Amino acid sequence: MKTKPDPRRQWTWPIALAALTIVGLVAALLGEGGLWWPASWIALSLPLIVALRHALRPARSPDARQARAQRDHAA
């Protein structure tokens, strides 16, 4: 029996990464040097690092995916 995924759990990280990207873009546009530029680089680099890490990780087998789903459902 399939259960509906929890939207809060499903959307937490994408929303956090989007907010971090917006903060980085605003810092890059409004900052006049100083700490603004390093802050914008960090804020814009983190979502890229997360995306690359996700894209480069090895694919999981269907059995591992099913075991994880059962473990998450039990918690």
Side-chain angles (χ1 to χ4, degrees):
M1 182 168 116
K2 289 190 175 185
T3 60
K4 281 180 90 174
D6 181 22
R8 197 176 320 141
R9 182 172 180 185
Q10 186 175 4
W11 286 99
T12 301
W13 280 109
I15 290 172
L17 291 174
L20 190 61
T21 302
I22 291 169
V23 167
L25 289 172
V26 169
L29 289 172
L30 300 180
E32 291 290 329
L35 291 178
W36 287 100
W37 288 350
S40 69
W41 273 94
I42 291 169
L44 291 172
S45 296
L46 288 177
L48 179 63
I49 291 168
V50 169
L52 286 173
R53 182 175 175 214
H54 179 73
L56 296 177
R57 75 177 177 190
R60 294 184 183 163
S61 67
D63 294 333
R65 208 175 299 135
Q66 184 179 12
R68 181 176 182 213
Q70 288 176 350
R71 184 186 67 219
D72 288 347
H73 181 66

